Amino acid sequence: MAAAGIGSFRSGTHTNTRASLNTSKLDKPLSLNSNSKLSLKSKPLTSSGVRKSAPASLGPSKDHAAVPGRVRVAVRLRPRNVEEMLADADFGDCVELQPELKRLKLRKNNWDSDTFEFDEVLTEFASQKRVYEVVAKPVVESVLDGYNGTVMAYGQTGTGKTYTLGRLGEEDTAARGIMVRAMEDILANVSPETDSILVSYLQLYMETIQDLLDPSNDNITIVEDPKNGDVSLPGVRLVEIRDQQSFIELLRLGEVHRVAANTKLNTESSRSHAILMVHVKRSVKGRDSVLSSENGNDSRLVKALKPTLVRKGKLVVVDLAGSERIDKSGSEGHTLEEAKSINLSLSALGKCINALAENSPHIPVRDSKLTRLLRDSFGGTARTSLVITIGPSPRHRGETASTIMFGQRAMKVENMLKLKEEFDYKSLSRKLDTQLDKVTAEHERQQKAFEDEIERITIEAQARISESERNYTDLLENERLKYEKNFIESIRKLEEKWAMSLPTHISNGDMVRFQNDASEGPRVAAGQEVAEMKKLLEKETLLRKAAEEEVDNLNSKLAQSKRLEESSNSELVRLHKMLEDEALQKLKLEEQIAMLESQLLQLSFEADETRRKLDRVEPEQVPGGQDSTIHQVGNSQLNHSGNGEKASIAKLFEQVGLQKILSLLEAEDPDVRVHAVKVVANLAAEETNQGKIVKAGGLKSLLMLLRSSGNESIQRVAAGAIANLAMNETNQELIMAQGGIQLLSMTASNAEDPQTLRMVAGAIANLCGNDKLQMKLREEGGIKALLGMVRSGHQDVLAQVARGIANFAKCESKSSTQGAKSGKSLLIEDGVLPWIVERANSEVSSISRHIELALCHLAQHEVNAKDLVNGGALRELVRIARDCSRDDIRALAHRILTASPTFQTELRRLHVDY
């Protein structure tokens, strides 16, 4: 048999008191059952949503082999653990497995037994892979085909339910549970581009649904659709999964927040039902249809895209809390209340399954939130596989028989499988929008090209006009010069002809006069023609100047446009450079923030894990006096976590620095603030860090969180950090000066969570230990805040309240002895005495010890004696003097009774001999 029992495994690791389920008696390699040859592929489902009649993948029993939609049940046997091997060494197992016949025999005695048949019988040597393939794989394939599916584990505490379903297998991949293997198959069969996977992780604790991925969301309501009865959980956190590693991180985060406790049957027993929901959305490509349309005499084919077909499946993996008997588990106190709630919900589930198996007209699904959440898994539309886990010990034969009968009744439940598919009109709309954007962009591109072509033609036309104007001006000048030359040549020829035609006998004087008279007429005509030519020339000159001015104007405008274009280009280059620099800076900041968040998350997880372990320490082991409970938790955490966590904190200081960590307390993301305040609280647990935190403004930031944050998780951890800082007398005065007691009182009045009240009460208790702050603490409501937190009734809260009252009474007694104070005790004036008397004889030592000290400090001064007698405290003082377990307190009470005249008089009147 295995070396240890199988219990609830957390985050892929196990404690030293447990051993792997795969450990054999002789340390031999494990092998699969050779006779169990089962098909790993589920049969196809019809379009109507009902599976065709075919043998089930789990190998159903003969009576139900052809029943579609029936709940399939497998039984898994856990090997003996160390305790059972020692205690039951002389006794045989109470069960005998016949895996080849799918049968199980439950022994009544040495000669008689009952035989039961299941869809699959898995021995203690069955591997995790074998369990997944016969139990969960057919359900996962149905979910990928568009059906709902459920895989659930049921059994006694410590029989291996959480190991079967939730083992992470990070050290040994062969030990991976159903959750991890199911997600591997889903990721391998979906397309990241068109499909989606959304995951939520919940727990049902004390009939309250809580989000394991968002602890602040701790009271989720169930909403039922009145039309089809579907159950939904509005407000639950849904996380999209893209790879296997992110899913494992999500499971680890959920397991950190899941409630667990130590019982006699299991060192880490699950105290809640864990429910993992995986929503798978897959797209199935539709065929294209061809439509014909006519426009006049022209006909053409229009191809219309058919909407994508979407199939939606939901996989629900349920890790039920183990059923247990109180006398065997040893549950008491709060653990007893948890066990009662677990058994009630499992009983309600059993009643529903009985009613479904007997075809009862009424199914009591509303008796429990668990049955409401699983209404689709039993008698609904989901394909359901149930694995029941049992142990071999004859001491637990009754619980084993009850588990077997639960599985037998569940095999009679039939579900009506229903395919969930619909057309993805949203996807089609997005495709059409994309096509429209492409057409619009193409149109804009063509419009831009058309405008560019028009501009090019315009520029070319302007160039041709300018060239024509230049050619015209040159031709005009050439013509003018030609005309002037011809005119001068004509005048010269006329003068020569005229001179040749004159008579030879004319005298020289007459000749001269005649020449003058003869040439006067032609010269007058030539002058007029020259004048007209000059006017034309001047006119042409003016036109040419105007054209040149217009050309110069156009050239200047063109040059100005080029300068503007160059300036715009340089500005665009500069802006592009700035954008690239901004993008690079943003990327660096995002990487830095991601690194900070990762480091904060790691430290937060380590702190939470250590704090959860330390919360289970017995109160008697915690020293009293002025030491803060929060400070003890912090120091113990650092001591037990070892060099690994100290190295993480040192690395955080080296790489990030305290100032950056404190700056994250003001981050917009609430998750970042939660992790940041947890790291600050963890750092504040060390005295060497307290001064640095206060100097860097950490105290002010923590008080601001108490004032402004509405997140109770942030308030709880911030109060714990303030409690650690309040261990230092200088810090106590700073806390009071900055209104810390008022903020703590306000947080106490609004909080409901016992852990938050414990942190606040611890902080106020530390402040009560400073005799300089007594009056101010009382005036600002510190004593009333302590009394107000009594409403919680939680032992840890009451212990901190008692410690605060004891600290206050001790400081007050010291002031009265030194003469700094006179008159009746402030505690008595504020009405604390009745509560002290009521709790003086508490069964919880951490409460009674502080109350006894407070009572003795009050009784030391005669001014309080009369009120103590009237309030019934004298009887408790006598009891303390007689029966107190601590010698110093017992001797103090005896000395007070002997020295007080008022007490002596009252004792003689009552004839009490102490």
Side-chain angles (χ1 to χ4, degrees), residues 247-263:
F247 177 69
I248 292 177
E249 292 295 335
L250 182 143
L251 288 182
R252 185 183 294 111
L253 175 62
E255 287 303 309
V256 168
H257 296 131
R258 189 178 178 188
V259 181
N262 184 11
T263 68

PDB file of all heavy atoms in Angstrom, residues 247-263:
ATOM      1  N   PHE A 247      -3.272  29.018 -17.119  1.00  0.00           N
ATOM      2  CA  PHE A 247      -4.333  28.270 -16.443  1.00  0.00           C
ATOM      3  C   PHE A 247      -3.813  27.668 -15.137  1.00  0.00           C
ATOM      4  O   PHE A 247      -4.519  27.680 -14.115  1.00  0.00           O
ATOM      5  CB  PHE A 247      -4.856  27.166 -17.370  1.00  0.00           C
ATOM      6  CG  PHE A 247      -5.907  26.285 -16.752  1.00  0.00           C
ATOM      7  CD1 PHE A 247      -7.159  26.781 -16.471  1.00  0.00           C
ATOM      8  CD2 PHE A 247      -5.633  24.964 -16.440  1.00  0.00           C
ATOM      9  CE1 PHE A 247      -8.136  25.978 -15.898  1.00  0.00           C
ATOM     10  CE2 PHE A 247      -6.599  24.148 -15.874  1.00  0.00           C
ATOM     11  CZ  PHE A 247      -7.854  24.667 -15.598  1.00  0.00           C
ATOM     12  N   ILE A 248      -2.593  27.154 -15.141  1.00  0.00           N
ATOM     13  CA  ILE A 248      -2.025  26.592 -13.905  1.00  0.00           C
ATOM     14  C   ILE A 248      -1.848  27.694 -12.859  1.00  0.00           C
ATOM     15  O   ILE A 248      -2.127  27.487 -11.670  1.00  0.00           O
ATOM     16  CB  ILE A 248      -0.692  25.894 -14.227  1.00  0.00           C
ATOM     17  CG1 ILE A 248      -0.949  24.641 -15.077  1.00  0.00           C
ATOM     18  CG2 ILE A 248       0.045  25.520 -12.945  1.00  0.00           C
ATOM     19  CD1 ILE A 248       0.313  23.916 -15.504  1.00  0.00           C
ATOM     20  N   GLU A 249      -1.398  28.883 -13.279  1.00  0.00           N
ATOM     21  CA  GLU A 249      -1.277  30.004 -12.345  1.00  0.00           C
ATOM     22  C   GLU A 249      -2.637  30.361 -11.762  1.00  0.00           C
ATOM     23  O   GLU A 249      -2.774  30.688 -10.578  1.00  0.00           O
ATOM     24  CB  GLU A 249      -0.667  31.218 -13.062  1.00  0.00           C
ATOM     25  CG  GLU A 249       0.782  31.045 -13.474  1.00  0.00           C
ATOM     26  CD  GLU A 249       1.699  30.917 -12.271  1.00  0.00           C
ATOM     27  OE1 GLU A 249       1.342  31.419 -11.192  1.00  0.00           O
ATOM     28  OE2 GLU A 249       2.767  30.293 -12.411  1.00  0.00           O
ATOM     29  N   LEU A 250      -3.671  30.305 -12.581  1.00  0.00           N
ATOM     30  CA  LEU A 250      -5.033  30.604 -12.115  1.00  0.00           C
ATOM     31  C   LEU A 250      -5.474  29.570 -11.076  1.00  0.00           C
ATOM     32  O   LEU A 250      -6.058  29.924 -10.045  1.00  0.00           O
ATOM     33  CB  LEU A 250      -5.980  30.619 -13.315  1.00  0.00           C
ATOM     34  CG  LEU A 250      -7.449  30.948 -13.076  1.00  0.00           C
ATOM     35  CD1 LEU A 250      -7.970  31.774 -14.252  1.00  0.00           C
ATOM     36  CD2 LEU A 250      -8.275  29.685 -12.968  1.00  0.00           C
ATOM     37  N   LEU A 251      -5.207  28.273 -11.338  1.00  0.00           N
ATOM     38  CA  LEU A 251      -5.574  27.238 -10.362  1.00  0.00           C
ATOM     39  C   LEU A 251      -4.810  27.434  -9.058  1.00  0.00           C
ATOM     40  O   LEU A 251      -5.371  27.274  -7.966  1.00  0.00           O
ATOM     41  CB  LEU A 251      -5.272  25.860 -10.946  1.00  0.00           C
ATOM     42  CG  LEU A 251      -6.180  25.359 -12.068  1.00  0.00           C
ATOM     43  CD1 LEU A 251      -5.759  23.968 -12.491  1.00  0.00           C
ATOM     44  CD2 LEU A 251      -7.641  25.356 -11.655  1.00  0.00           C
ATOM     45  N   ARG A 252      -3.529  27.801  -9.169  1.00  0.00           N
ATOM     46  CA  ARG A 252      -2.738  28.011  -7.956  1.00  0.00           C
ATOM     47  C   ARG A 252      -3.299  29.185  -7.142  1.00  0.00           C
ATOM     48  O   ARG A 252      -3.397  29.111  -5.908  1.00  0.00           O
ATOM     49  CB  ARG A 252      -1.283  28.274  -8.321  1.00  0.00           C
ATOM     50  CG  ARG A 252      -0.376  28.378  -7.098  1.00  0.00           C
ATOM     51  CD  ARG A 252       1.050  28.710  -7.455  1.00  0.00           C
ATOM     52  NE  ARG A 252       1.675  27.639  -8.200  1.00  0.00           N
ATOM     53  CZ  ARG A 252       2.007  27.723  -9.478  1.00  0.00           C
ATOM     54  NH1 ARG A 252       1.753  28.825 -10.153  1.00  0.00           N
ATOM     55  NH2 ARG A 252       2.582  26.714 -10.103  1.00  0.00           N
ATOM     56  N   LEU A 253      -3.694  30.240  -7.822  1.00  0.00           N
ATOM     57  CA  LEU A 253      -4.289  31.380  -7.128  1.00  0.00           C
ATOM     58  C   LEU A 253      -5.582  30.980  -6.441  1.00  0.00           C
ATOM     59  O   LEU A 253      -5.841  31.354  -5.294  1.00  0.00           O
ATOM     60  CB  LEU A 253      -4.549  32.508  -8.140  1.00  0.00           C
ATOM     61  CG  LEU A 253      -5.281  33.750  -7.611  1.00  0.00           C
ATOM     62  CD1 LEU A 253      -4.463  34.414  -6.516  1.00  0.00           C
ATOM     63  CD2 LEU A 253      -5.546  34.726  -8.736  1.00  0.00           C
ATOM     64  N   GLY A 254      -6.420  30.197  -7.113  1.00  0.00           N
ATOM     65  CA  GLY A 254      -7.671  29.768  -6.508  1.00  0.00           C
ATOM     66  C   GLY A 254      -7.451  28.894  -5.286  1.00  0.00           C
ATOM     67  O   GLY A 254      -8.149  29.032  -4.268  1.00  0.00           O
ATOM     68  N   GLU A 255      -6.480  27.969  -5.349  1.00  0.00           N
ATOM     69  CA  GLU A 255      -6.228  27.082  -4.226  1.00  0.00           C
ATOM     70  C   GLU A 255      -5.699  27.849  -3.017  1.00  0.00           C
ATOM     71  O   GLU A 255      -5.918  27.443  -1.875  1.00  0.00           O
ATOM     72  CB  GLU A 255      -5.227  25.995  -4.643  1.00  0.00           C
ATOM     73  CG  GLU A 255      -5.805  24.937  -5.574  1.00  0.00           C
ATOM     74  CD  GLU A 255      -7.013  24.245  -4.972  1.00  0.00           C
ATOM     75  OE1 GLU A 255      -6.908  23.785  -3.816  1.00  0.00           O
ATOM     76  OE2 GLU A 255      -8.055  24.185  -5.625  1.00  0.00           O
ATOM     77  N   VAL A 256      -4.987  28.966  -3.257  1.00  0.00           N
ATOM     78  CA  VAL A 256      -4.505  29.775  -2.141  1.00  0.00           C
ATOM     79  C   VAL A 256      -5.669  30.331  -1.332  1.00  0.00           C
ATOM     80  O   VAL A 256      -5.626  30.409  -0.101  1.00  0.00           O
ATOM     81  CB  VAL A 256      -3.613  30.925  -2.676  1.00  0.00           C
ATOM     82  CG1 VAL A 256      -3.356  31.951  -1.577  1.00  0.00           C
ATOM     83  CG2 VAL A 256      -2.292  30.368  -3.163  1.00  0.00           C
ATOM     84  N   HIS A 257      -6.753  30.702  -2.005  1.00  0.00           N
ATOM     85  CA  HIS A 257      -7.894  31.324  -1.330  1.00  0.00           C
ATOM     86  C   HIS A 257      -8.934  30.313  -0.864  1.00  0.00           C
ATOM     87  O   HIS A 257      -9.892  30.685  -0.191  1.00  0.00           O
ATOM     88  CB  HIS A 257      -8.569  32.331  -2.269  1.00  0.00           C
ATOM     89  CG  HIS A 257      -7.688  33.481  -2.630  1.00  0.00           C
ATOM     90  ND1 HIS A 257      -7.497  33.921  -3.933  1.00  0.00           N
ATOM     91  CD2 HIS A 257      -6.901  34.281  -1.877  1.00  0.00           C
ATOM     92  CE1 HIS A 257      -6.672  34.921  -3.952  1.00  0.00           C
ATOM     93  NE2 HIS A 257      -6.285  35.164  -2.724  1.00  0.00           N
ATOM     94  N   ARG A 258      -8.773  29.031  -1.237  1.00  0.00           N
ATOM     95  CA  ARG A 258      -9.772  28.044  -0.831  1.00  0.00           C
ATOM     96  C   ARG A 258      -9.608  27.711   0.644  1.00  0.00           C
ATOM     97  O   ARG A 258      -8.497  27.594   1.156  1.00  0.00           O
ATOM     98  CB  ARG A 258      -9.637  26.775  -1.673  1.00  0.00           C
ATOM     99  CG  ARG A 258     -10.782  25.796  -1.446  1.00  0.00           C
ATOM    100  CD  ARG A 258     -10.667  24.577  -2.324  1.00  0.00           C
ATOM    101  NE  ARG A 258     -11.747  23.646  -2.059  1.00  0.00           N
ATOM    102  CZ  ARG A 258     -11.825  22.429  -2.571  1.00  0.00           C
ATOM    103  NH1 ARG A 258     -10.891  21.997  -3.413  1.00  0.00           N
ATOM    104  NH2 ARG A 258     -12.840  21.629  -2.256  1.00  0.00           N
ATOM    105  N   VAL A 259     -10.720  27.511   1.343  1.00  0.00           N
ATOM    106  CA  VAL A 259     -10.703  27.265   2.779  1.00  0.00           C
ATOM    107  C   VAL A 259     -10.330  25.812   3.042  1.00  0.00           C
ATOM    108  O   VAL A 259     -10.898  24.900   2.429  1.00  0.00           O
ATOM    109  CB  VAL A 259     -12.072  27.585   3.407  1.00  0.00           C
ATOM    110  CG1 VAL A 259     -12.036  27.359   4.910  1.00  0.00           C
ATOM    111  CG2 VAL A 259     -12.476  29.015   3.096  1.00  0.00           C
ATOM    112  N   ALA A 260      -9.372  25.591   3.945  1.00  0.00           N
ATOM    113  CA  ALA A 260      -8.956  24.247   4.328  1.00  0.00           C
ATOM    114  C   ALA A 260      -8.660  24.245   5.819  1.00  0.00           C
ATOM    115  O   ALA A 260      -8.415  25.294   6.424  1.00  0.00           O
ATOM    116  CB  ALA A 260      -7.731  23.798   3.531  1.00  0.00           C
ATOM    117  N   ALA A 261      -8.703  23.039   6.419  1.00  0.00           N
ATOM    118  CA  ALA A 261      -8.456  22.917   7.853  1.00  0.00           C
ATOM    119  C   ALA A 261      -7.838  21.555   8.134  1.00  0.00           C
ATOM    120  O   ALA A 261      -7.908  20.633   7.322  1.00  0.00           O
ATOM    121  CB  ALA A 261      -9.752  23.100   8.639  1.00  0.00           C
ATOM    122  N   ASN A 262      -7.257  21.442   9.328  1.00  0.00           N
ATOM    123  CA  ASN A 262      -6.615  20.198   9.756  1.00  0.00           C
ATOM    124  C   ASN A 262      -7.593  19.401  10.606  1.00  0.00           C
ATOM    125  O   ASN A 262      -8.122  19.902  11.602  1.00  0.00           O
ATOM    126  CB  ASN A 262      -5.356  20.525  10.554  1.00  0.00           C
ATOM    127  CG  ASN A 262      -4.588  19.270  10.935  1.00  0.00           C
ATOM    128  OD1 ASN A 262      -4.883  18.178  10.438  1.00  0.00           O
ATOM    129  ND2 ASN A 262      -3.615  19.412  11.805  1.00  0.00           N
ATOM    130  N   THR A 263      -7.876  18.157  10.201  1.00  0.00           N
ATOM    131  CA  THR A 263      -8.743  17.263  10.967  1.00  0.00           C
ATOM    132  C   THR A 263      -8.004  15.957  11.218  1.00  0.00           C
ATOM    133  O   THR A 263      -6.915  15.727  10.689  1.00  0.00           O
ATOM    134  CB  THR A 263     -10.064  16.993  10.222  1.00  0.00           C
ATOM    135  OG1 THR A 263      -9.787  16.224   9.039  1.00  0.00           O
ATOM    136  CG2 THR A 263     -10.736  18.299   9.822  1.00  0.00           C
TER     137      THR A 263
END
